[in-house]
Amino acid sequence: MTWWQLILLAVVQGVAEFLPISSSGHLVILAHLFPSQEGQQGDLTAFNVILHAGTLGSILVFYRRQIAELLTKDRSLIWLLAIGTVPAVVAGLGIKLLADEVLELPIVAGAMLPITGLMLLWMAGRDGELEYTKLTIKQALIIGAFQAFALLPGISRSGSTIVAGLLVGLKRPAAATFSFLLAIPAITLAAGFELLQLIMNPTPDTHAGMLAAGAAISFGVGLLALWLVVRLLNQGRLHWFAYWCIPFGLVVIAWQVWEWMPSTS
């Protein structure tokens, strides 16, 4: 992996993990544009672990007060987060076993991005009355189901879970807080799975300096993205990202259809 690829992927991961534009969708599209090289897949696996670690660190720092309360005063919320994580675990295992290759198709990302955009347009002007500490098991499962849907590239995890939070009646700040607290076990499990793959298929040529740089970039960009998404959500402007997701998704679909069309020459 070259330095420009590293920087680009780290910035995309840091930005798109939290802004509602789907990090997985953008990374799938970018990976398709990179030339295939021997050993590159192993580098990407190692790098994905580090990228997830960087974005996880940004959540832990940004929501440190809420996490401290979670571990002291609001311990019952831990069970709700665990319950909300179950749908993604079940769906993730099913996809890995039955249709893992679907997650690597740019056309799937292109088709899903407009759906993310439509969800964002739905949330425009909406607000609820509940705090995230008042969620029921049923409501946590609904939000978890939206998170499971976001396993598809092009479906934003943050966007879909915030939309689900508003759907069940959460206030905007509460919807964002629960969404990103729910991301902690989700990102941890994703990074753990990729780490297991790395252990089973080690890549000794991966440079520690590049991995450290990737983690630092995704951490710093992730902090900025978290601040921005919370600010825009509180201002009722998060749906603005629909105007990126919808046209970009259509462009990706057109590009993939063009690639698949037989040559007329």
Side-chain angles (χ1 to χ4, degrees), residues 22-239:
S22 177
S23 63
S24 62
H26 283 72
L27 290 175
V28 163
I29 293 165
L30 284 174
H32 191 74
L33 293 174
F34 289 162
S36 178
Q37 299 174 7
E38 185 178 354
Q40 188 181 62
Q41 186 58 49
D43 287 343
L44 288 174
T45 300
F47 195 55
N48 279 334
V49 175
I50 296 300
L51 289 182
H52 279 106
T55 50
L56 177 61
S58 61
I59 296 177
L60 297 177
V61 170
F62 192 87
Y63 284 105
R64 59 190 180 278
R65 180 179 62 81
Q66 290 87 344
I67 293 171
E69 292 177 352
L70 181 69
L71 298 174
T72 54
K73 296 186 297 183
D74 301 324
R75 292 180 181 176
S76 61
L77 190 62
I78 295 176
W79 293 108
L80 290 179
L81 292 173
I83 290 169
T85 304
V86 169
V89 172
V90 174
L93 289 175
I95 291 174
K96 285 292 181 183
L97 292 174
L98 301 176
D100 190 26
E101 65 280 358
V102 171
L103 302 180
E104 301 174 2
L105 296 176
I107 195 167
V108 174
M112 294 298 106
L113 279 168
I115 296 177
T116 290
L118 292 175
M119 287 194 293
L120 295 176
L121 290 176
W122 174 87
M123 72 185 293
R126 296 181 183 270
D127 201 357
E129 298 180 352
L130 283 177
E131 291 292 346
Y132 66 91
T133 53
K134 303 299 182 182
L135 282 171
T136 65
I137 292 176
K138 179 181 177 181
Q139 290 168 331
L141 276 173
I142 291 173
I143 299 174
F146 274 72
Q147 179 169 255
F149 182 42
L151 290 171
L152 293 174
I155 299 296
S156 165
R157 196 214 65 82
S158 62
S160 60
T161 50
I162 290 173
V163 164
L166 294 174
L167 182 66
V168 301
L170 288 177
K171 297 178 180 179
R172 288 175 185 166
T177 300
F178 189 79
S179 168
F180 293 121
L181 289 179
L182 191 61
I184 294 174
I187 294 176
T188 301
L189 289 172
F193 180 79
E194 288 165 349
L195 181 60
L196 181 62
Q197 287 184 310
L198 183 61
I199 292 172
M200 295 175 64
N201 301 283
T203 55
D205 294 333
T206 302
H207 298 291
M210 296 184 74
L211 295 178
I217 294 170
S218 62
F219 172 78
V221 175
L223 275 178
L224 180 61
L226 272 171
W227 171 83
L228 181 60
V229 74
V230 171
R231 180 180 177 86
L232 290 176
L233 178 63
N234 291 339
Q235 294 174 348
R237 298 176 179 177
L238 201 63
H239 65 283

